[in-house]
Amino acid sequence: MQLTTLKKLIFDKNIFAFLKLGKHVDTMYRTSFVTAANSSGVLDFLNQGGKTLEQLQQLLTVDESKKGALSAWLNCGVTLKELSLRDGKYQLKGKLSKHLAKDDNQIAAALFEEAIRYHYDALLSAPQRFCGGQAYQLADQDGR
């Protein structure tokens, strides 16, 4: 954030409105992270026990040049309190991650992913779509 933006937030009294949004923004980040971690197999892999960065790199077939990006993404999960990092191993920590990683919750996990990937996009881009005459089709949804 630039200093001028921060100054404007404070002096225009928008800082309080911005701070109230924090919980909602956190929810959006958390659900996005957990959805990606679930669909990529990371939650299932971590449900078996703590894994190192290298093990997760192998799971996701991330080449060495992208290892830093993987680490940054996993650390987002730590910051969001969905993962923990202890003794060089990532583990499930958050209620949402643990819940969706359970074998008997795979249907719920799929429905959750649909809501995040499809419904979120449908709501977000609805104004542009109906202004442009583009309706959503069933084919716009990931059938998996």
Side-chain angles (χ1 to χ4, degrees), residues 102-113:
K102 291 179 181 176
D103 286 337
D104 54 345
N105 288 341
Q106 291 308 301
I107 293 172
L111 290 170
F112 184 77
E113 183 171 347

Side-chain angles (χ1 to χ4, degrees), residues 51-121:
K51 305 295 181 194
T52 65
L53 176 60
E54 290 73 20
Q55 289 172 309
L56 289 159
Q57 180 183 1
Q58 214 170 24
L59 169 76
L60 298 172
T61 61
V62 173
D63 69 48
E64 198 61 32
S65 68
K66 303 287 192 253
K67 187 176 181 179
L70 174 60
S71 176
W73 179 71
L74 291 166
N75 288 330
C76 284
V78 173
T79 300
L80 294 166
K81 297 182 172 80
E82 287 300 326
L83 302 179
S84 65
L85 178 60
R86 286 187 221 131
D87 301 323
K89 292 188 176 185
Y90 291 93
Q91 299 173 45
L92 296 179
K93 179 180 180 181
K95 289 180 185 179
L96 182 58
S97 292
K98 287 180 177 181
H99 179 70
L100 294 180
K102 291 179 181 176
D103 286 337
D104 54 345
N105 288 341
Q106 291 308 301
I107 293 172
L111 290 170
F112 184 77
E113 183 171 347
E114 177 186 351
I116 300 305
R117 290 191 186 275
Y118 175 71
H119 298 157
Y120 175 78
D121 181 62

Side-chain angles (χ1 to χ4, degrees), residues 116-134:
I116 300 305
R117 290 191 186 275
Y118 175 71
H119 298 157
Y120 175 78
D121 181 62
L123 291 168
L124 192 63
S125 55
Q128 293 88 0
R129 282 195 172 252
F130 57 70
C131 287
Q134 297 174 303

Side-chain angles (χ1 to χ4, degrees), residues 10-29:
I10 293 170
F11 292 112
D12 290 348
K13 298 189 176 41
N14 289 327
I15 190 76
F16 300 110
F18 178 74
L19 292 174
K20 287 180 181 180
L21 295 175
K23 178 178 79 171
H24 301 292
V25 172
D26 182 68
T27 299
M28 189 269 305
Y29 283 135

